[in-house]
Structure formats: C-alpha cells, structure tokens
C-alpha cells in the first residue's frame, strides 16, 4: 500500500488541534426508519464544512520551506479548495485554486474569502485539473491534488480512527466516493484497526466510475448532479488499487435518493449536508435490508450546498411527499366560485399557496374556467382528503401530473 496505518496515525498527530474532531452521534430517528443503528459522523461541522481539511492540512504541513515560499495550487469543485485555502492562509502559504466554471457560487465565494486566488476554468474537474497543472508548471507552484496523493489520503483516514475510537462496535462504514481519497484513507485505517469491518462506497448514479470498473465495464459518466463533490469521471491511480484491495462494495445513489437524503438530514437531524455528503444516507435508505440490524457509520462528508439549490431540494421534497400539491379544479366562471373552493380547502386544513386561472388555455365551455391551486398539506393522506372533499362538492378535480380530467376519484 502507498499509505500505511502508521502514516494515518502520524497524520492524526500532525493535524491535531488544527482540525476538529467532529462528533459521531446515534440518530434514533434514522435508526427507526432503516432498522439499523445509524451513527452520523458530522464532518460538515469542520470550519470549512468538509472533511477535506484533514488531507489538505496534512499535505501542506509536509511541504518543503521553498515550496511554502513559492506557494501552492489546487484544483477543486469546492471543498478541497476551501480546505487548502484556509490552512494555507493559516500557515502563511500563498494559494491559488482552479475551480470548474459552474462550481456553486457559495463554494467559489467562500474560497475567495479565505484568501486564495481563484480561477474558474473548464466544464468539469478534469479540465480544471489540466489548467491547474499548467499554472503550477509556469509559476513553479506545489500542486496539492484533491485525492490522488498519499499524504492527502493519510489525512482523510484520520476520520476513521475517530469513529472507531468513539464507537468500536461499528460493523459497517458507508462512505461517499468521488476520486477515492476519503474512502481509501478510511479503508486503510478501519481495516487495520478492525479487519472484519465492512467498508462500503457510494457513488452518484450519474458518475458510477468505480462501480463500472469493478464489473469490467468501460467508464460512462456525466450529467448534472446534486452531488457535484463526487462527480468524478476517473478515480485516482493511487486510490483505485486501495479501493480494489480494501473496499467491500460500491453502491449507487440516484438523484431522487440524494435529494431525499439531503432533506431528511435537514428535517430530522437539523443539519445541512450537500449532495455528496448525503450519499451514504441515500444508499442506506434505498437498500435498508442490506444494513438492517447492524451498526452503521455514515460519513456526512460536507455541508457546502448552494442556498438556491437547497431551496429547490426542499420544495421538490415537499412535492415528492405530497406536502405540497397542485390541483386543477374546473368551476363556473362567476363571482364567488373561487371563494367556495378556497373556503373548502381552508376547512379541510389546507393552506392555499398559489392560484392561477387558465381561461385562455382551458378546453372547456366559455362559461367555465380551470383554476390551478397549489396547496400545502400535512402529508399525502391529507392531500387526498382535500381532493375528496372538492370532488364531493361537485367540482371536477385532478392532479396536474395526471393526463386527463376526472370527476371525483
């Protein structure tokens, strides 16, 4: 192995006091939902809200004096960028960060606030990496890779030591996988401490690089994902052999599962996780039987999610669980008709969020109109009760995702 358990122990001592030992907590509610004992490692509690500080600092502390004086450069979609920028500033090291052009604004601005020079380049991490290497060569800067570096991997592995120190009984660790630095470090540390422990990786379904390679399939990856932190098309040359040797399984989480996991962490644990950070929970929720009855450690690897994206996730989650519904109601186009509908919804305990008339586009008699009503409800059953009440009063009502108008249910 290019990284040893001793390297990880040394990294732990090296970064102690400068990187938080984040809490590991049992989630009673998630445990009840999944049937497993679910422990959450809150790496979103780090100063830069990501585990990436661990590897970045371990690498920076081992830079030669001349390298420190000239400065460092990193390529990152956000979390590694902030980790490098923050600790480089603490250590007095000039830092340049190259980020893909479409990196979430919150990550770009936070990186700049930490004192780094930021350049936006390319449509993905591969193009950004090539550009960063060109700058590194031109300006003689130390390139700090986000995952494919033994010292970075060793720093990330310190996370597993903390988890097993606090809960030695853990049977499974579920870890997000992008380039593989985090899961490589965790697997080395965990297997050395407890050989029987199972280490499971989770990739975004749109970026199933390791999953496909393990099955002898060519890499096919790409597309917009909420888990941009693990949207990597090629695992590292250092990390892949470690994953092959020590990681027991790699699972996939689709976009709907990732969104659901982000929302559940927000509502249940009152904590903000980005899409990549919620990948472990997404996999657990979709394959609960696989983990039932076991002590499972989930790594919430980061919490840097754009506020607009989080808002969209919340709204889509409300729609998915029918806590927000849209009905199209046909009613006579005369004074008082809409008041009758909204009053009935209110009596049923629904809250009208929006109302839109569809006179010009309705395929009805000119004496009738379609009204699209958006309603907040308590749950899917409550939404059904409201719909039944409207139908019982003689209104023709349907959900807007249904293909045709029906009278009642």
């Amino acid at each position: 192995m290019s990284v040893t358990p001793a390297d990880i122990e040394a990294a732990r001592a090296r970064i102690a006091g400068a990187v938080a030992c984040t809490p590991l907590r049992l989630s009673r509610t998630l445990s009840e939902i999944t049937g497993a004992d679910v422990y959450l490692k809150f790496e979103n509690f780090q100063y830069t809200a990501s585990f990436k500080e661990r590897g970045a600092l371990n690498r920076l502390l081992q830079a030669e004096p001349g390298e420190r004086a000239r400065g460092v450069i990193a390529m990152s979609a956000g979390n590694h960028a902030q980790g490098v920028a923050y600790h480089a500033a603490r250590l007095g090291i000039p830092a340049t960060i190259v980020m893909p052009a479409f990196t979430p604004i919150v990550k770009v601005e936070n990186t700049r606030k930490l004192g780094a020079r930021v350049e936006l380049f390319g449509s993905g991490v591969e193009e950004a990496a090539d550009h960063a290497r060109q700058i590194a060569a031109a300006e003689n800067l130390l390139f700090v890779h986000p995952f494919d570096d033994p010292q970075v991997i060793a720093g990330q592995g310190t996370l597993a030591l903390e988890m097993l120190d606090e809960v030695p009984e853990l049977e499974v660790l579920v870890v997000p996988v992008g380039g593989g630095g985090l899961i490589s470090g965790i697997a080395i540390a965990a297997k050395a401490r407890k050989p029987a422990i199972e280490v499971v990786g989770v990739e975004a379904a749109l970026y199933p690089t390791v999953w496909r390679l393990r099955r002898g399939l060519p890499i096919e990856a790409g597309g917009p994902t909420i888990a941009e932190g693990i949207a990597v098309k090629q695992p590292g040359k250092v990390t892949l052999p470690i994953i092959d040797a020590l990681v027991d399984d790699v699972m996939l989480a689709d976009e709907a599962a990732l969104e659901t996991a982000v929302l559940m962490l927000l509502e249940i644990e009152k904590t903000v996780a980005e899409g990549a950070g919620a990948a472990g929970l997404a996999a657990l929720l979709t394959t609960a039987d696989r983990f039932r009855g076991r002590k499972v450690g989930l790594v919430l690897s980061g919490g840097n999610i754009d506020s607009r994206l989080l808002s969209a996730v919340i709204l889509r989650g409300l729609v998915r669980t029918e806590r927000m519904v849209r009905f199209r109601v046909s009613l006579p186009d005369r004074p008082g008709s809409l008041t009758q509908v909204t009053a009935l919804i209110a009596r049923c305990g629904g809250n009208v969020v929006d109302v839109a008339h569809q006179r010009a586009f309705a395929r009805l008699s000119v004496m009738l109109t379609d009204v699209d009503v958006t309603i907040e409800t308590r749950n899917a059953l409550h939404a059904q009760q409201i719909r039944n009440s409207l139908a019982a009063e003689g209104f023709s009502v349907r959900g807007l995702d249904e293909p045709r108008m029906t009278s009642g249910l």
Side-chain angles (χ1 to χ4, degrees):
M1 288 292 173
S2 55
V3 181
T4 68
D7 293 330
I8 297 173
E9 293 285 359
R12 185 182 195 179
R14 198 175 288 121
I15 70 176
V19 171
C21 179
T22 56
L24 178 69
R25 296 174 181 165
L26 175 69
S27 172
R28 293 174 58 184
T29 303
L30 291 177
S31 296
E32 291 170 1
I33 291 171
T34 63
D37 291 337
V38 180
Y39 291 84
L40 303 177
K41 180 65 169 170
F42 287 88
E43 282 296 286
N44 55 339
F45 286 9
Q46 295 289 355
Y47 179 73
T48 61
S50 166
F51 76 96
K52 288 286 190 177
E53 286 189 33
R54 298 173 181 269
L57 178 57
N58 191 49
R59 181 66 186 89
L60 292 174
L61 289 173
Q62 296 177 80
E64 298 294 333
E67 293 173 330
R68 291 194 184 198
R70 290 190 299 272
V72 299
I73 187 168
M75 169 276 298
S76 169
N79 289 334
H80 179 64
Q82 291 177 70
V84 171
Y86 170 56
H87 288 290
R90 284 183 52 252
L91 298 170
I93 302 173
T96 300
I97 309 295
V98 179
M99 310 179 82
F102 301 106
T103 299
I105 294 172
V106 65
K107 295 185 178 182
V108 176
E109 292 306 311
N110 286 346
T111 304
R112 286 186 172 134
K113 288 175 184 177
L114 291 168
R117 159 191 159 199
V118 176
E119 290 200 17
L120 301 178
F121 185 90
S123 59
V125 291
E126 290 80 11
E127 293 178 16
D130 290 341
H131 188 61
R133 290 189 185 280
Q134 292 172 10
I135 296 174
E139 301 182 17
N140 197 21
L141 304 177
L142 172 65
F143 184 79
V144 181
H145 200 283
F147 54 83
D148 213 26
D149 182 308
Q151 295 165 358
V152 170
I153 293 169
Q156 320 302 29
T158 61
L159 192 157
L161 298 180
E162 294 175 7
M163 294 179 76
L164 290 172
D165 280 350
E166 193 160 350
V167 185
E169 302 82 14
L170 286 173
E171 299 171 80
V172 189
L173 301 180
V174 185
V175 186
V177 179
L182 176 61
I183 198 167
S184 293
I186 284 178
I188 293 167
K191 295 284 187 176
R193 180 75 66 86
K194 190 174 182 179
I197 197 167
E198 186 179 9
V199 179
V200 177
V202 183
E203 292 184 303
L206 291 173
Y207 289 82
T209 54
V210 176
W211 187 91
R212 291 184 66 86
L213 287 172
R214 283 192 151 203
R215 287 158 176 77
L217 302 171
I219 292 176
E220 294 179 4
T225 175
I226 187 177
E228 79 284 341
I230 54 174
V232 178
K233 294 183 179 180
Q234 182 67 52
K237 294 179 181 178
V238 178
T239 60
L240 187 57
I242 299 172
I243 294 170
D244 284 341
L246 298 178
V247 173
D248 299 282
D249 192 12
V250 176
M251 305 173 65
L252 302 179
D254 64 22
E255 294 302 297
L258 291 166
E259 290 183 28
T260 297
V262 169
L263 183 58
M264 288 184 70
L265 288 167
L266 184 65
E267 293 188 320
I268 294 172
E269 295 300 326
K270 309 301 183 284
T271 195
V272 176
E274 59 192 87
L281 178 58
L284 182 60
L285 291 170
T286 53
T287 57
D289 288 344
R290 188 191 190 290
F291 302 98
R292 195 176 306 280
R294 307 174 74 187
K295 296 185 184 302
V296 180
L298 300 184
V299 180
L300 305 187
S301 57
N304 290 307
I305 186 170
D306 186 271
S307 57
R308 291 176 298 176
L309 179 59
L310 181 59
S311 175
V313 168
I314 292 170
L315 288 174
R316 284 162 61 95
L318 293 176
V319 171
R320 188 178 294 114
T321 56
E322 295 189 56
R323 287 177 286 170
M324 183 174 290
V325 296
R326 291 191 304 166
F327 293 146
R328 175 161 290 175
V329 184
S330 297
L331 64 159
D333 194 8
R334 62 173 180 252
S337 295
L338 180 59
T339 300
Q340 185 180 356
V341 170
T342 56
L344 178 56
I345 293 170
R347 287 198 302 273
C348 293
N351 180 44
V352 176
V353 176
D354 186 58
V355 175
H357 285 79
Q358 303 293 343
R359 290 186 174 89
F361 297 97
R363 296 181 179 180
L364 304 170
S365 164
V366 74
M367 303 303 293
L368 299 173
T369 184
D370 278 342
V371 176
D372 297 343
V373 187
T374 304
I375 309 167
E376 288 181 334
T377 71
R378 293 188 293 272
N379 49 40
L381 178 60
H382 187 210
Q384 187 83 342
Q385 291 171 346
I386 293 172
R387 180 170 175 168
N388 289 344
S389 296
L390 288 168
E393 290 295 320
F395 294 107
S396 182
V397 55
R398 70 177 177 92
L400 285 182
D401 58 343
E402 296 173 7
R404 59 187 177 82
M405 185 75 71
T406 58
S407 181
L409 294 174

